[in-house]
Amino acid sequence: MGGHSHHCHDHGHERDDFSRAFAVGIALNAAIVVAELVYGFIANSMALVADGGHNLSDVLGLMVGWAGAVMARRSPSPRFTYGLKKASILSALINALFLLVAVGAIAAEAVRRLLNPAPADAHVMIWVAAAAIVVNLATALLFARGRASDMNVRAAFQHMAADAAVSAAVVFAGFVILWTGHRWVDPVMSLAVAGVILWGSVGLMGESVGMSLMGVPSGIELDEVHDALGELPGVETVHDLHVWPLSTTETALTAHLVAPEVASTDALLNAARTMLHRRFGIEHCTLQIEREHLEDTHC
């Protein structure tokens, strides 16, 4: 016995375009990177250089994130029938890799400095890191409104917020050096910076790898989706249910609904589409209605 298939796509609203936020963020952070690296070497401060290296990784990450966001908005083509939506997932993954590379470089140099402490100019550390705090907080605010709905934007927000905290730690290290004169404070703070970066990047790495492998997006429980579809009027069973990310903001679903006695398949499909969008934020779904459970119906 045949079935009835239906594709549902919700295009009722456009995704926010954060192109301007990415452009401004890149410009501001590139300027602070130059300042931190130059004055870090002048002041002989590894903590300041480490913060500059961290900000450099974020500039690269913002560039990749911007490219991913632009590519994700490309229209579908005969070759890429979903467009280039997965580019935003790949950009988040590359972003996480940038952070891990930065952690290794900063930690290695910090250990070397810890074994061979050198004096640092605390006054330069404090003023330059304070400027970095202002820039990082301003950049984070540019991405604040999109952090809940887009992993790519959330990655940018988290990096900028973390940078502000890291720069604050460098300011603190500068004051400690002024008060105590201890040379080891600078490399120890560099190791703390590396730890903060590592802590923030692990979650992003795990989520982006999972999405790259088409895992169910975080925030969606497959059993809950299954039960919600099964509770629709007329649905007897649900099978061949699949949920995967199309991008960092969009989720796709396919499922077969066994509904032997349903009076109107169109009404059922509309109810399913509305429920999936409202409860789970799923905007791309392909549903097949069956009057009986058909075996081996993968297609």
Side-chain angles (χ1 to χ4, degrees), residues 113-114 117-118 176 180-189:
R113 287 291 188 97
L114 191 59
V176 172
T180 66
H182 293 314
R183 296 180 178 183
W184 55 264
V185 173
D186 183 69
V188 166
M189 190 57 66

Side-chain angles (χ1 to χ4, degrees), residues 53 70 81 85 111 116 118 198 284:
V70 170
T81 56
K85 297 180 184 296
V111 170
N116 299 283
L198 181 62
H284 296 261

Side-chain angles (χ1 to χ4, degrees), residues 13-78:
H13 62 280
E14 292 293 328
R15 293 291 179 186
D16 289 332
D17 184 1
F18 286 88
S19 294
R20 179 176 296 180
F22 278 112
V24 173
I26 289 170
L28 289 176
N29 282 272
I32 206 66
V33 164
V34 173
E36 287 191 310
L37 292 180
V38 170
Y39 284 101
F41 284 112
I42 291 175
N44 198 32
S45 169
M46 185 55 210
L48 202 55
V49 172
D51 196 23
H54 183 201
N55 276 290
L56 177 60
S57 73
D58 281 342
V59 169
L60 297 175
L62 286 173
M63 294 173 68
V64 172
W66 189 7
V70 170
M71 293 174 68
R73 297 173 72 88
R74 292 284 297 273
S75 300
S77 67

Side-chain angles (χ1 to χ4, degrees), residues 4 17 22 25 28 31 38 47 56 111 155 175 194 207 213 232 255 262 278 285 295:
H4 181 83
D17 184 1
F22 278 112
L28 289 176
V38 170
L56 177 60
V111 170
F175 279 115
E207 188 174 0
L213 296 176
L232 292 171
V262 69
R278 289 179 177 174
C285 58
E295 299 295 338

Side-chain angles (χ1 to χ4, degrees), residues 82-101:
Y82 274 121
L84 300 176
K85 297 180 184 296
K86 266 196 168 16
S88 59
I89 298 175
L90 294 177
S91 70
L93 178 59
I94 294 172
N95 214 332
L97 292 174
F98 277 143
L99 286 173
L100 293 179
V101 171

